[in-house]
């Protein structure tokens, strides 16, 4: 179909030093279409981001009020009268800076399966902090978070890379290309809350999207290795075997 023809065109028009030596026809297909979709999304996201930077204070206040409005009918929102807040200054006055301890009773309720406690949407998981301050803290993660992270984080990063990554010899050759990345990640060992919510790190993991593993030098089967040390060795091994490696992530 059209998508296969586009992937073939992309392959034929990409310089050989910009194509991973680990590719096969399917991985070229996946990376070509991923690049196409992310290029359009990234270009749009970076333009919007630059516009918003010109009026960052008002954009931040608008976002704050939007989040307060989303959560005003939750238990936390009602108990703290979020519906009455109409400005950034009013928020600072009515809801002073808090610590994690302030939210612990609400987080415990979410871990036990209660809904509409702190946010209206479904709880995707319970994230854990790194614990560098002494103890790990739990942070409920709504489904809305992943959408925001993708559209306001990953897409903008991709757009920035499109504008910033240059070929070492030819300025006419643009990124993204068909180079793979070495992504230093492993499948974490999750725990579960009393209600069955997954508890662990909120960073990306191999099982998030198995199709996207085609973008990385490390083969999908290697992510079944449970030892972090051994998997890091495999990441390094397959990265070194790819003479046209693109990125280390």
């Amino acid at each position: 179909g059209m998508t296969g023809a586009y992937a073939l065109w992309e392959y034929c028009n990409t310089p050989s030093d910009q194509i991973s030596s680990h590719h096969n026809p399917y991985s070229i297909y996946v990376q070509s279409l991923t690049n196409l979709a992310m290029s359009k999304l990234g270009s749009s996201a970076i333009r919007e981001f630059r516009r918003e930077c010109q009026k960052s204070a008002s954009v931040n206040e608008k976002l704050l009020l939007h989040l307060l409005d989303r959560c005003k009918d939750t238990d936390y929102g009602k108990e703290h009268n979020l519906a009455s807040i109409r400005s950034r200054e009013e928020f600072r006055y009515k809801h002073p800076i808090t610590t994690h301890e302030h939210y612990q009773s609400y987080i415990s309720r979410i871990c036990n399966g209660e809904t509409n406690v702190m946010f209206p949407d479904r709880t995707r998981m319970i994230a854990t902090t790194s614990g560098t301050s002494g103890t790990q803290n739990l942070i409920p993660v709504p489904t809305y978070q992943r959408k925001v992270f993708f559209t306001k984080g990953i897409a903008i990063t991709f757009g920035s890379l499109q504008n910033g990554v240059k070929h070492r010899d030819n300025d006419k050759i643009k990124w993204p290309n068909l180079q793979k990345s070495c992504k230093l990640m492993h499948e974490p060992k999750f725990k579960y809350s009393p209600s069955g919510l997954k508890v662990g790190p909120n960073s990306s993991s191999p099982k998030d999207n198995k199709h996207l593993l085609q973008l990385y030098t490390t083969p999908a089967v290697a992510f079944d290795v449970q030892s972090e040390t051994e998997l890091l060795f495999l990441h390094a091994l397959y990265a070194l075997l790819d003479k046209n490696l693109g990125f280390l992530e």
Side-chain angles (χ1 to χ4, degrees), residues 12-32:
C12 292
N13 286 274
T14 300
S16 59
D17 69 337
Q18 302 290 291
I19 301 175
S20 170
S21 53
H22 287 192
H23 265 309
N24 57 52
Y26 177 65
S27 62
I28 289 171
Y29 175 81
V30 171
Q31 187 161 15
S32 296

Side-chain angles (χ1 to χ4, degrees), residues 94-215:
K94 292 185 175 181
H95 195 288
I97 292 175
T98 56
T99 64
H100 187 268
E101 185 179 3
H102 170 79
Y103 303 95
Q104 283 184 345
S105 64
Y106 300 97
I107 294 171
S108 295
R109 290 169 56 190
I110 293 173
C111 288
N112 287 321
E114 291 189 45
T115 58
N116 203 43
V117 178
M118 296 176 69
F119 40 77
D121 35 343
R122 180 178 63 85
T123 303
R124 187 171 65 82
M125 66 173 294
I126 305 295
T128 54
T129 62
S130 61
T132 52
S133 61
T135 57
Q136 279 192 331
N137 289 321
L138 303 180
I139 303 174
V141 180
T143 51
Y144 182 68
Q145 181 268 345
R146 176 157 286 194
K147 175 186 174 183
V148 174
F149 179 71
F150 183 77
T151 57
K152 300 295 187 181
I154 294 176
I156 289 173
T157 301
F158 200 96
S160 299
L161 288 170
Q162 283 187 96
N163 296 329
V165 176
K166 305 296 183 184
H167 190 274
R168 62 178 180 270
D169 300 320
N170 188 344
D171 287 341
K172 293 182 179 179
I173 297 175
K174 302 296 184 182
W175 189 88
N177 50 37
L178 293 177
Q179 290 175 306
K180 290 193 175 191
S181 300
C182 173
K183 186 162 186 175
L184 302 175
M185 63 176 175
H186 67 98
E187 189 64 31
K189 294 180 180 178
F190 290 104
K191 298 179 180 178
Y192 291 88
S193 74
S195 63
L197 289 169
K198 190 163 62 174
V199 180
N202 190 31
S203 53
S204 60
S205 65
K207 290 183 180 178
D208 286 347
N209 189 325
K210 290 189 176 181
H211 293 294
L212 293 184
L213 294 181
Q214 300 296 327
L215 307 182

Side-chain angles (χ1 to χ4, degrees), residues 77-88:
K78 291 175 181 177
E79 291 171 19
H80 292 81
N81 200 17
L82 299 186
S84 69
I85 299 175
R86 294 287 182 267
S87 69
R88 177 176 52 195

